[in-house]
């Protein structure tokens, strides 16, 4: 790393990163507060090269929302609908199978499928969907359901413990679970943007359970709304803690909050700038 291009105050952090040492929460905050995007990029690139060499990989993936009907009403969510709403939708299994069949013809290797917390779809519906997707192509990777969907299925639909629910889904064809629903772990923020949703501990517990079964998943952070920088750092610290414990996350996906349809406490939030998105 060319340290002359790194501002003096960030050099001790850059040295730690290059030496593959852990950065502290104070270091993470300093990086968030730094305005030198080139320096941040250089430091980040060191980590990327340490992990992956000079390779960047990608997945040919088909994203599917099987339904937007949801029993919750997270304040930040412009996706969910109640059954009576005009924009509510729910695809039939045959429709989803056709979409994936078409995608397979285009070379897609993974389907990524999530939905709302649907109040009435039955256990048999979810299992038939997974089994028929699996039957389409045994090599298709089926990545589906957020931790909150898994908890919803376990508690209200399957009426089974989380582990048994995950095992049942895996037997039907589930390959990995998705990272959505994490938002920002801080309870005060969750109470304002997604009241009633699972807690951080509950989100982490679903992933911990899945990882302990040999499963892999991704993790996310929804930023650029009412959270503070220390709350982002706290979120990252908790994700890193679980990764230390299980090594089960295959990727981290930071999502910028999309404010175009926001209301209430989020009405005044501005879209995260390109600078902010690159910094995350
Ligand atoms: S649980 Fe998911 S789909 Fe339902 S309201 Fe919250 S963010 Fe939207």
């Amino acid at each position: 790393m060319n340290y002359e291009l790194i501002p003096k105050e960030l050099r001790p952090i850059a040295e730690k990163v290059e030496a593959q040492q852990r950065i502290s929460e104070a270091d993470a905050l300093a990086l968030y507060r730094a305005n030198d995007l080139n320096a941040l990029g250089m430091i980040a690139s060191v980590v990327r090269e340490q992990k992956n060499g000079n390779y960047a990989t990608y997945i040919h993936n088909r994203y599917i929302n099987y339904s937007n009907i949801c029993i919750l009403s997270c304040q930040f969510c412009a996706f969910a609908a109640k059954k009576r709403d005009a924009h509510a939708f729910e695809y039939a299994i045959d429709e989803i199978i056709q979409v994936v069949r078409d995608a397979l013809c285009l070379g897609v290797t993974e389907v990524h499928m999530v939905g709302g917390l649907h109040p009435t779809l039955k256990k048999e519906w979810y299992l038939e969907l997974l089994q028929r997707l699996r039957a389409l192509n045994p090599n298709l990777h089926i990545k589906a359901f957020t931790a909150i969907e898994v908890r919803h299925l376990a508690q209200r639909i399957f009426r089974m413990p989380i582990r048994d629910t995950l095992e049942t889904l895996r037997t039907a064809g589930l390959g990995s679970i998705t990272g959505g629903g994490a938002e920002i772990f801080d309870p005060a923020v969750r109470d304002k943007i997604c009241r009633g949703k699972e807690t951080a501990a509950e989100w982490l517990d679903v992933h911990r359970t899945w990882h302990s079964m040999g499963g892999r998943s991704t993790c996310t952070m929804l930023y650029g709304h009412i959270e503070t920088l220390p709350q982002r750092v706290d979120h990252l610290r908790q994700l890193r803690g679980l990764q230390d414990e299980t090594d089960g996350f295959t990727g981290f996906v930071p999502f910028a909050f999309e404010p175009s349809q926001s209301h209430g406490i989020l009405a005044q939030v501005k879209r995260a700038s390109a600078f902010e998105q690159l910094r995350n």
Side-chain angles (χ1 to χ4, degrees):
M1 186 156 27
N2 184 347
Y3 282 89
E4 285 177 16
L5 298 177
I6 308 281
K8 225 185 268 164
E9 64 278 12
L10 296 185
R11 282 182 200 164
I13 304 175
E15 283 167 3
K16 274 193 198 176
V17 169
E18 195 156 46
Q20 301 195 25
Q21 292 169 8
R22 278 294 165 90
I23 65 168
S24 66
E25 289 180 50
D27 294 337
L29 262 181
L31 291 172
Y32 260 133
R33 289 182 173 136
N35 284 323
D36 190 328
L37 201 51
N38 288 328
L40 292 176
M42 279 178 65
I43 296 170
S45 187
V46 167
V47 179
R48 186 188 62 77
E49 285 175 26
Q50 285 169 354
K51 287 185 183 300
N52 303 317
N54 198 25
Y55 290 96
T57 57
Y58 58 90
I59 295 169
H60 275 166
N61 138 324
R62 180 64 162 89
Y63 186 85
I64 295 173
N65 291 129
Y66 56 89
S67 172
N68 66 344
I69 297 171
C70 186
I71 58 173
L72 284 189
S73 303
C74 297
Q75 292 87 332
F76 74 84
C77 179
F79 165 74
K82 301 301 173 201
K83 272 195 167 184
R84 61 181 177 276
D85 292 338
H87 67 292
F89 67 83
E90 177 184 318
Y91 290 113
I93 292 178
D94 283 345
E95 292 176 296
I96 299 171
I97 294 295
Q98 189 54 49
V99 166
V100 177
R101 191 177 279 131
D102 293 345
L104 284 166
C105 293
L106 297 173
V108 160
T109 58
E110 175 185 285
V111 57
H112 181 135
M113 191 172 59
V114 291
L117 309 187
H118 198 289
T120 53
L121 286 176
K122 299 276 185 283
K123 176 181 174 184
E124 293 70 28
W125 187 91
Y126 291 96
L127 298 185
E128 182 187 337
L129 174 59
L130 290 171
Q131 286 158 355
R132 288 183 58 189
L133 285 171
R134 170 60 53 244
L136 277 180
N137 183 330
N139 296 320
L140 174 69
H141 185 81
I142 305 172
K143 180 179 189 180
F145 312 125
T146 64
I148 185 161
E149 283 175 276
V150 171
R151 283 182 61 81
H152 168 69
L153 294 178
Q155 290 174 344
R156 302 187 186 92
I157 311 296
F158 289 26
R159 295 179 186 276
M160 291 166 125
I162 299 280
R163 179 176 289 271
D164 294 351
T165 300
L166 287 167
E167 198 56 70
T168 304
L169 292 169
R170 179 157 69 180
T171 302
L174 182 69
S176 59
I177 61 172
T178 74
E183 324 314 357
I184 286 283
F185 285 148
D186 185 276
V189 175
R190 291 184 94 71
D191 191 50
K192 292 194 175 96
I193 69 165
C194 54
R195 187 169 304 146
K197 204 169 200 169
E198 62 192 344
T199 63
E202 289 166 340
W203 187 96
L204 290 163
D205 189 54
V206 170
H207 286 267
R208 181 180 290 107
T209 303
W210 178 243
H211 295 170
S212 76
M213 295 162 59
R216 292 291 172 265
S217 62
T218 51
C219 55
T220 61
M221 175 173 75
L222 181 74
Y223 68 92
H225 42 88
I226 60 166
E227 87 289 359
T228 62
L229 294 182
Q231 286 164 341
R232 283 189 206 172
V233 171
D234 172 68
H235 185 95
L236 294 171
R237 180 187 57 75
Q238 295 198 56
L239 291 177
R240 186 171 76 171
L242 184 57
Q243 183 71 340
D244 284 344
E245 200 182 314
T246 65
D247 202 24
F249 290 127
T250 54
F252 167 64
V253 188
F255 295 120
F257 173 61
E258 170 49 58
S260 57
Q261 296 179 55
S262 57
H263 54 273
I265 190 170
L266 297 164
Q268 304 305 322
V269 173
K270 299 217 169 5
R271 179 173 285 106
S273 64
F275 186 97
E276 192 59 19
Q277 296 195 30
L278 282 170
R279 182 153 53 184
N280 275 279

PDB file of all heavy atoms in Angstrom, residues 112 143 146 178-185 190 203 207 217-223 235-236 239 249 251-255:
ATOM      1  N   HIS A 112     -32.941 -16.828  -6.124  1.00  0.00           N
ATOM      2  CA  HIS A 112     -32.955 -16.119  -4.836  1.00  0.00           C
ATOM      3  C   HIS A 112     -34.406 -15.711  -4.595  1.00  0.00           C
ATOM      4  O   HIS A 112     -34.954 -14.895  -5.326  1.00  0.00           O
ATOM      5  CB  HIS A 112     -32.043 -14.892  -4.940  1.00  0.00           C
ATOM      6  CG  HIS A 112     -31.943 -14.083  -3.688  1.00  0.00           C
ATOM      7  ND1 HIS A 112     -30.746 -13.614  -3.200  1.00  0.00           N
ATOM      8  CD2 HIS A 112     -32.875 -13.635  -2.818  1.00  0.00           C
ATOM      9  CE1 HIS A 112     -30.952 -12.925  -2.095  1.00  0.00           C
ATOM     10  NE2 HIS A 112     -32.242 -12.916  -1.843  1.00  0.00           N
ATOM     11  N   LYS A 143     -31.578 -20.444  -3.030  1.00  0.00           N
ATOM     12  CA  LYS A 143     -31.305 -19.566  -1.881  1.00  0.00           C
ATOM     13  C   LYS A 143     -32.626 -18.883  -1.568  1.00  0.00           C
ATOM     14  O   LYS A 143     -33.193 -18.202  -2.432  1.00  0.00           O
ATOM     15  CB  LYS A 143     -30.253 -18.552  -2.300  1.00  0.00           C
ATOM     16  CG  LYS A 143     -29.852 -17.575  -1.248  1.00  0.00           C
ATOM     17  CD  LYS A 143     -28.782 -16.666  -1.836  1.00  0.00           C
ATOM     18  CE  LYS A 143     -28.188 -15.805  -0.770  1.00  0.00           C
ATOM     19  NZ  LYS A 143     -27.164 -14.932  -1.344  1.00  0.00           N
ATOM     20  N   THR A 146     -35.614 -15.112   4.302  1.00  0.00           N
ATOM     21  CA  THR A 146     -34.836 -14.370   5.297  1.00  0.00           C
ATOM     22  C   THR A 146     -35.012 -15.050   6.654  1.00  0.00           C
ATOM     23  O   THR A 146     -35.912 -15.884   6.837  1.00  0.00           O
ATOM     24  CB  THR A 146     -35.346 -12.927   5.415  1.00  0.00           C
ATOM     25  OG1 THR A 146     -36.703 -12.967   5.904  1.00  0.00           O
ATOM     26  CG2 THR A 146     -35.307 -12.197   4.082  1.00  0.00           C
ATOM     27  N   THR A 178     -31.137 -16.426   2.988  1.00  0.00           N
ATOM     28  CA  THR A 178     -30.723 -15.088   2.568  1.00  0.00           C
ATOM     29  C   THR A 178     -30.450 -14.210   3.794  1.00  0.00           C
ATOM     30  O   THR A 178     -30.787 -14.571   4.920  1.00  0.00           O
ATOM     31  CB  THR A 178     -31.812 -14.434   1.700  1.00  0.00           C
ATOM     32  OG1 THR A 178     -32.895 -14.036   2.545  1.00  0.00           O
ATOM     33  CG2 THR A 178     -32.334 -15.386   0.637  1.00  0.00           C
ATOM     34  N   GLY A 179     -29.877 -13.044   3.544  1.00  0.00           N
ATOM     35  CA  GLY A 179     -29.431 -12.205   4.660  1.00  0.00           C
ATOM     36  C   GLY A 179     -30.379 -11.090   5.048  1.00  0.00           C
ATOM     37  O   GLY A 179     -30.076 -10.301   5.945  1.00  0.00           O
ATOM     38  N   GLY A 180     -31.528 -11.005   4.395  1.00  0.00           N
ATOM     39  CA  GLY A 180     -32.447  -9.890   4.652  1.00  0.00           C
ATOM     40  C   GLY A 180     -33.014  -9.897   6.060  1.00  0.00           C
ATOM     41  O   GLY A 180     -32.939 -10.891   6.781  1.00  0.00           O
ATOM     42  N   GLY A 181     -33.595  -8.764   6.437  1.00  0.00           N
ATOM     43  CA  GLY A 181     -34.256  -8.665   7.736  1.00  0.00           C
ATOM     44  C   GLY A 181     -33.358  -8.165   8.844  1.00  0.00           C
ATOM     45  O   GLY A 181     -33.830  -7.867   9.935  1.00  0.00           O
ATOM     46  N   ALA A 182     -32.057  -8.050   8.575  1.00  0.00           N
ATOM     47  CA  ALA A 182     -31.148  -7.605   9.637  1.00  0.00           C
ATOM     48  C   ALA A 182     -31.329  -6.108   9.910  1.00  0.00           C
ATOM     49  O   ALA A 182     -31.200  -5.663  11.053  1.00  0.00           O
ATOM     50  CB  ALA A 182     -29.703  -7.902   9.246  1.00  0.00           C
ATOM     51  N   GLU A 183     -31.597  -5.341   8.856  1.00  0.00           N
ATOM     52  CA  GLU A 183     -31.764  -3.877   8.939  1.00  0.00           C
ATOM     53  C   GLU A 183     -30.605  -3.286   9.729  1.00  0.00           C
ATOM     54  O   GLU A 183     -29.474  -3.439   9.378  1.00  0.00           O
ATOM     55  CB  GLU A 183     -33.131  -3.515   9.558  1.00  0.00           C
ATOM     56  CG  GLU A 183     -34.314  -4.415   9.198  1.00  0.00           C
ATOM     57  CD  GLU A 183     -34.498  -4.788   7.742  1.00  0.00           C
ATOM     58  OE1 GLU A 183     -33.750  -4.321   6.889  1.00  0.00           O
ATOM     59  OE2 GLU A 183     -35.389  -5.606   7.447  1.00  0.00           O
ATOM     60  N   ILE A 184     -30.905  -2.622  10.861  1.00  0.00           N
ATOM     61  CA  ILE A 184     -29.872  -2.177  11.807  1.00  0.00           C
ATOM     62  C   ILE A 184     -30.232  -2.834  13.132  1.00  0.00           C
ATOM     63  O   ILE A 184     -31.389  -2.796  13.559  1.00  0.00           O
ATOM     64  CB  ILE A 184     -29.875  -0.640  11.936  1.00  0.00           C
ATOM     65  CG1 ILE A 184     -29.265   0.010  10.697  1.00  0.00           C
ATOM     66  CG2 ILE A 184     -29.146  -0.180  13.197  1.00  0.00           C
ATOM     67  CD1 ILE A 184     -27.741  -0.034  10.589  1.00  0.00           C
ATOM     68  N   PHE A 185     -29.267  -3.468  13.767  1.00  0.00           N
ATOM     69  CA  PHE A 185     -29.576  -4.288  14.940  1.00  0.00           C
ATOM     70  C   PHE A 185     -30.010  -3.490  16.170  1.00  0.00           C
ATOM     71  O   PHE A 185     -30.673  -4.026  17.056  1.00  0.00           O
ATOM     72  CB  PHE A 185     -28.365  -5.147  15.315  1.00  0.00           C
ATOM     73  CG  PHE A 185     -28.149  -6.330  14.400  1.00  0.00           C
ATOM     74  CD1 PHE A 185     -26.865  -6.788  14.138  1.00  0.00           C
ATOM     75  CD2 PHE A 185     -29.219  -6.990  13.812  1.00  0.00           C
ATOM     76  CE1 PHE A 185     -26.654  -7.885  13.310  1.00  0.00           C
ATOM     77  CE2 PHE A 185     -29.025  -8.085  12.979  1.00  0.00           C
ATOM     78  CZ  PHE A 185     -27.731  -8.536  12.729  1.00  0.00           C
ATOM     79  N   ARG A 190     -34.712  -0.223  15.505  1.00  0.00           N
ATOM     80  CA  ARG A 190     -35.704  -1.220  15.049  1.00  0.00           C
ATOM     81  C   ARG A 190     -37.111  -0.819  15.490  1.00  0.00           C
ATOM     82  O   ARG A 190     -38.075  -0.994  14.758  1.00  0.00           O
ATOM     83  CB  ARG A 190     -35.371  -2.618  15.607  1.00  0.00           C
ATOM     84  CG  ARG A 190     -34.124  -3.229  15.034  1.00  0.00           C
ATOM     85  CD  ARG A 190     -33.885  -4.646  15.542  1.00  0.00           C
ATOM     86  NE  ARG A 190     -34.416  -5.687  14.661  1.00  0.00           N
ATOM     87  CZ  ARG A 190     -33.914  -5.994  13.487  1.00  0.00           C
ATOM     88  NH1 ARG A 190     -32.896  -5.325  13.000  1.00  0.00           N
ATOM     89  NH2 ARG A 190     -34.440  -6.965  12.758  1.00  0.00           N
ATOM     90  N   TRP A 203     -32.534 -12.748  14.954  1.00  0.00           N
ATOM     91  CA  TRP A 203     -31.990 -12.845  13.587  1.00  0.00           C
ATOM     92  C   TRP A 203     -30.695 -13.666  13.613  1.00  0.00           C
ATOM     93  O   TRP A 203     -30.503 -14.590  12.815  1.00  0.00           O
ATOM     94  CB  TRP A 203     -31.718 -11.438  13.041  1.00  0.00           C
ATOM     95  CG  TRP A 203     -31.318 -11.393  11.596  1.00  0.00           C
ATOM     96  CD1 TRP A 203     -32.125 -11.158  10.523  1.00  0.00           C
ATOM     97  CD2 TRP A 203     -29.992 -11.586  11.064  1.00  0.00           C
ATOM     98  NE1 TRP A 203     -31.389 -11.195   9.356  1.00  0.00           N
ATOM     99  CE2 TRP A 203     -30.083 -11.458   9.661  1.00  0.00           C
ATOM    100  CE3 TRP A 203     -28.751 -11.857  11.628  1.00  0.00           C
ATOM    101  CZ2 TRP A 203     -28.974 -11.589   8.819  1.00  0.00           C
ATOM    102  CZ3 TRP A 203     -27.648 -12.003  10.787  1.00  0.00           C
ATOM    103  CH2 TRP A 203     -27.767 -11.862   9.402  1.00  0.00           C
ATOM    104  N   HIS A 207     -29.481 -17.636  11.933  1.00  0.00           N
ATOM    105  CA  HIS A 207     -28.274 -17.882  11.130  1.00  0.00           C
ATOM    106  C   HIS A 207     -27.299 -18.807  11.872  1.00  0.00           C
ATOM    107  O   HIS A 207     -26.688 -19.691  11.268  1.00  0.00           O
ATOM    108  CB  HIS A 207     -27.612 -16.549  10.750  1.00  0.00           C
ATOM    109  CG  HIS A 207     -28.377 -15.826   9.677  1.00  0.00           C
ATOM    110  ND1 HIS A 207     -28.093 -15.956   8.334  1.00  0.00           N
ATOM    111  CD2 HIS A 207     -29.463 -15.014   9.754  1.00  0.00           C
ATOM    112  CE1 HIS A 207     -28.960 -15.237   7.625  1.00  0.00           C
ATOM    113  NE2 HIS A 207     -29.800 -14.654   8.466  1.00  0.00           N
ATOM    114  N   SER A 217     -25.026 -18.786   4.591  1.00  0.00           N
ATOM    115  CA  SER A 217     -25.996 -17.713   4.367  1.00  0.00           C
ATOM    116  C   SER A 217     -25.243 -16.421   4.102  1.00  0.00           C
ATOM    117  O   SER A 217     -24.016 -16.377   4.213  1.00  0.00           O
ATOM    118  CB  SER A 217     -26.903 -17.553   5.596  1.00  0.00           C
ATOM    119  OG  SER A 217     -26.135 -17.198   6.731  1.00  0.00           O
ATOM    120  N   THR A 218     -25.987 -15.376   3.780  1.00  0.00           N
ATOM    121  CA  THR A 218     -25.381 -14.057   3.638  1.00  0.00           C
ATOM    122  C   THR A 218     -25.914 -13.155   4.749  1.00  0.00           C
ATOM    123  O   THR A 218     -26.848 -13.530   5.470  1.00  0.00           O
ATOM    124  CB  THR A 218     -25.710 -13.441   2.263  1.00  0.00           C
ATOM    125  OG1 THR A 218     -27.117 -13.505   2.060  1.00  0.00           O
ATOM    126  CG2 THR A 218     -25.001 -14.182   1.147  1.00  0.00           C
ATOM    127  N   CYS A 219     -25.326 -11.975   4.873  1.00  0.00           N
ATOM    128  CA  CYS A 219     -25.802 -11.033   5.886  1.00  0.00           C
ATOM    129  C   CYS A 219     -25.896  -9.644   5.260  1.00  0.00           C
ATOM    130  O   CYS A 219     -25.264  -9.376   4.236  1.00  0.00           O
ATOM    131  CB  CYS A 219     -24.892 -11.039   7.108  1.00  0.00           C
ATOM    132  SG  CYS A 219     -23.153 -10.716   6.762  1.00  0.00           S
ATOM    133  N   THR A 220     -26.704  -8.797   5.866  1.00  0.00           N
ATOM    134  CA  THR A 220     -26.994  -7.498   5.258  1.00  0.00           C
ATOM    135  C   THR A 220     -26.991  -6.388   6.305  1.00  0.00           C
ATOM    136  O   THR A 220     -27.013  -6.646   7.518  1.00  0.00           O
ATOM    137  CB  THR A 220     -28.395  -7.496   4.599  1.00  0.00           C
ATOM    138  OG1 THR A 220     -29.376  -7.749   5.611  1.00  0.00           O
ATOM    139  CG2 THR A 220     -28.503  -8.531   3.502  1.00  0.00           C
ATOM    140  N   MET A 221     -27.011  -5.160   5.805  1.00  0.00           N
ATOM    141  CA  MET A 221     -27.232  -3.990   6.669  1.00  0.00           C
ATOM    142  C   MET A 221     -28.007  -2.964   5.840  1.00  0.00           C
ATOM    143  O   MET A 221     -27.623  -2.656   4.713  1.00  0.00           O
ATOM    144  CB  MET A 221     -25.901  -3.387   7.126  1.00  0.00           C
ATOM    145  CG  MET A 221     -26.071  -2.100   7.925  1.00  0.00           C
ATOM    146  SD  MET A 221     -24.517  -1.475   8.640  1.00  0.00           S
ATOM    147  CE  MET A 221     -23.719  -0.806   7.183  1.00  0.00           C
ATOM    148  N   LEU A 222     -29.106  -2.470   6.387  1.00  0.00           N
ATOM    149  CA  LEU A 222     -29.872  -1.404   5.733  1.00  0.00           C
ATOM    150  C   LEU A 222     -29.417  -0.080   6.342  1.00  0.00           C
ATOM    151  O   LEU A 222     -29.660   0.173   7.524  1.00  0.00           O
ATOM    152  CB  LEU A 222     -31.371  -1.606   5.981  1.00  0.00           C
ATOM    153  CG  LEU A 222     -32.277  -0.561   5.330  1.00  0.00           C
ATOM    154  CD1 LEU A 222     -32.365  -0.784   3.825  1.00  0.00           C
ATOM    155  CD2 LEU A 222     -33.679  -0.608   5.940  1.00  0.00           C
ATOM    156  N   TYR A 223     -28.762   0.745   5.535  1.00  0.00           N
ATOM    157  CA  TYR A 223     -28.207   1.990   6.068  1.00  0.00           C
ATOM    158  C   TYR A 223     -28.800   3.186   5.323  1.00  0.00           C
ATOM    159  O   TYR A 223     -29.477   3.033   4.305  1.00  0.00           O
ATOM    160  CB  TYR A 223     -26.672   1.987   5.935  1.00  0.00           C
ATOM    161  CG  TYR A 223     -26.197   2.051   4.499  1.00  0.00           C
ATOM    162  CD1 TYR A 223     -25.933   3.280   3.889  1.00  0.00           C
ATOM    163  CD2 TYR A 223     -26.048   0.901   3.746  1.00  0.00           C
ATOM    164  CE1 TYR A 223     -25.520   3.347   2.569  1.00  0.00           C
ATOM    165  CE2 TYR A 223     -25.640   0.956   2.431  1.00  0.00           C
ATOM    166  CZ  TYR A 223     -25.374   2.182   1.842  1.00  0.00           C
ATOM    167  OH  TYR A 223     -24.978   2.251   0.533  1.00  0.00           O
ATOM    168  N   HIS A 235     -23.691  -2.780  14.463  1.00  0.00           N
ATOM    169  CA  HIS A 235     -24.283  -3.808  13.603  1.00  0.00           C
ATOM    170  C   HIS A 235     -23.177  -4.690  13.000  1.00  0.00           C
ATOM    171  O   HIS A 235     -23.243  -5.923  13.052  1.00  0.00           O
ATOM    172  CB  HIS A 235     -25.082  -3.108  12.492  1.00  0.00           C
ATOM    173  CG  HIS A 235     -25.835  -4.017  11.594  1.00  0.00           C
ATOM    174  ND1 HIS A 235     -27.162  -4.324  11.788  1.00  0.00           N
ATOM    175  CD2 HIS A 235     -25.460  -4.693  10.482  1.00  0.00           C
ATOM    176  CE1 HIS A 235     -27.563  -5.148  10.835  1.00  0.00           C
ATOM    177  NE2 HIS A 235     -26.548  -5.385  10.024  1.00  0.00           N
ATOM    178  N   LEU A 236     -22.155  -4.025  12.467  1.00  0.00           N
ATOM    179  CA  LEU A 236     -21.050  -4.769  11.846  1.00  0.00           C
ATOM    180  C   LEU A 236     -20.330  -5.632  12.882  1.00  0.00           C
ATOM    181  O   LEU A 236     -19.935  -6.767  12.601  1.00  0.00           O
ATOM    182  CB  LEU A 236     -20.064  -3.787  11.194  1.00  0.00           C
ATOM    183  CG  LEU A 236     -20.631  -3.010   9.999  1.00  0.00           C
ATOM    184  CD1 LEU A 236     -19.669  -1.909   9.577  1.00  0.00           C
ATOM    185  CD2 LEU A 236     -20.897  -3.944   8.822  1.00  0.00           C
ATOM    186  N   LEU A 239     -22.317  -8.780  13.449  1.00  0.00           N
ATOM    187  CA  LEU A 239     -22.166  -9.718  12.322  1.00  0.00           C
ATOM    188  C   LEU A 239     -20.788 -10.380  12.368  1.00  0.00           C
ATOM    189  O   LEU A 239     -20.656 -11.589  12.160  1.00  0.00           O
ATOM    190  CB  LEU A 239     -22.348  -8.984  10.986  1.00  0.00           C
ATOM    191  CG  LEU A 239     -23.758  -8.485  10.658  1.00  0.00           C
ATOM    192  CD1 LEU A 239     -23.745  -7.724   9.332  1.00  0.00           C
ATOM    193  CD2 LEU A 239     -24.760  -9.636  10.596  1.00  0.00           C
ATOM    194  N   PHE A 249     -21.041 -17.081   7.047  1.00  0.00           N
ATOM    195  CA  PHE A 249     -21.500 -16.082   6.070  1.00  0.00           C
ATOM    196  C   PHE A 249     -20.598 -16.132   4.840  1.00  0.00           C
ATOM    197  O   PHE A 249     -19.371 -16.113   4.959  1.00  0.00           O
ATOM    198  CB  PHE A 249     -21.453 -14.664   6.655  1.00  0.00           C
ATOM    199  CG  PHE A 249     -22.470 -14.396   7.731  1.00  0.00           C
ATOM    200  CD1 PHE A 249     -22.077 -13.884   8.956  1.00  0.00           C
ATOM    201  CD2 PHE A 249     -23.820 -14.637   7.511  1.00  0.00           C
ATOM    202  CE1 PHE A 249     -23.011 -13.623   9.951  1.00  0.00           C
ATOM    203  CE2 PHE A 249     -24.766 -14.380   8.502  1.00  0.00           C
ATOM    204  CZ  PHE A 249     -24.353 -13.871   9.722  1.00  0.00           C
ATOM    205  N   GLY A 251     -21.122 -13.816   2.359  1.00  0.00           N
ATOM    206  CA  GLY A 251     -21.049 -12.467   1.813  1.00  0.00           C
ATOM    207  C   GLY A 251     -21.796 -11.483   2.687  1.00  0.00           C
ATOM    208  O   GLY A 251     -22.672 -11.872   3.478  1.00  0.00           O
ATOM    209  N   PHE A 252     -21.431 -10.212   2.560  1.00  0.00           N
ATOM    210  CA  PHE A 252     -22.092  -9.123   3.285  1.00  0.00           C
ATOM    211  C   PHE A 252     -22.660  -8.162   2.247  1.00  0.00           C
ATOM    212  O   PHE A 252     -21.950  -7.736   1.331  1.00  0.00           O
ATOM    213  CB  PHE A 252     -21.079  -8.398   4.179  1.00  0.00           C
ATOM    214  CG  PHE A 252     -21.591  -7.090   4.717  1.00  0.00           C
ATOM    215  CD1 PHE A 252     -22.674  -7.051   5.581  1.00  0.00           C
ATOM    216  CD2 PHE A 252     -20.992  -5.888   4.354  1.00  0.00           C
ATOM    217  CE1 PHE A 252     -23.156  -5.844   6.073  1.00  0.00           C
ATOM    218  CE2 PHE A 252     -21.459  -4.679   4.844  1.00  0.00           C
ATOM    219  CZ  PHE A 252     -22.546  -4.656   5.707  1.00  0.00           C
ATOM    220  N   VAL A 253     -23.950  -7.847   2.380  1.00  0.00           N
ATOM    221  CA  VAL A 253     -24.613  -6.979   1.399  1.00  0.00           C
ATOM    222  C   VAL A 253     -25.139  -5.736   2.109  1.00  0.00           C
ATOM    223  O   VAL A 253     -26.104  -5.817   2.865  1.00  0.00           O
ATOM    224  CB  VAL A 253     -25.802  -7.711   0.730  1.00  0.00           C
ATOM    225  CG1 VAL A 253     -26.350  -6.880  -0.428  1.00  0.00           C
ATOM    226  CG2 VAL A 253     -25.410  -9.098   0.273  1.00  0.00           C
ATOM    227  N   PRO A 254     -24.505  -4.570   1.912  1.00  0.00           N
ATOM    228  CA  PRO A 254     -25.065  -3.336   2.475  1.00  0.00           C
ATOM    229  C   PRO A 254     -26.099  -2.755   1.514  1.00  0.00           C
ATOM    230  O   PRO A 254     -25.830  -2.598   0.329  1.00  0.00           O
ATOM    231  CB  PRO A 254     -23.841  -2.418   2.585  1.00  0.00           C
ATOM    232  CG  PRO A 254     -22.852  -2.946   1.609  1.00  0.00           C
ATOM    233  CD  PRO A 254     -23.219  -4.348   1.235  1.00  0.00           C
ATOM    234  N   PHE A 255     -27.304  -2.486   2.020  1.00  0.00           N
ATOM    235  CA  PHE A 255     -28.371  -1.894   1.192  1.00  0.00           C
ATOM    236  C   PHE A 255     -28.565  -0.446   1.596  1.00  0.00           C
ATOM    237  O   PHE A 255     -28.768  -0.165   2.783  1.00  0.00           O
ATOM    238  CB  PHE A 255     -29.736  -2.546   1.461  1.00  0.00           C
ATOM    239  CG  PHE A 255     -29.854  -3.983   1.087  1.00  0.00           C
ATOM    240  CD1 PHE A 255     -30.151  -4.925   2.058  1.00  0.00           C
ATOM    241  CD2 PHE A 255     -29.732  -4.396  -0.223  1.00  0.00           C
ATOM    242  CE1 PHE A 255     -30.304  -6.255   1.726  1.00  0.00           C
ATOM    243  CE2 PHE A 255     -29.880  -5.724  -0.560  1.00  0.00           C
ATOM    244  CZ  PHE A 255     -30.167  -6.655   0.417  1.00  0.00           C
TER     245      PHE A 255
END
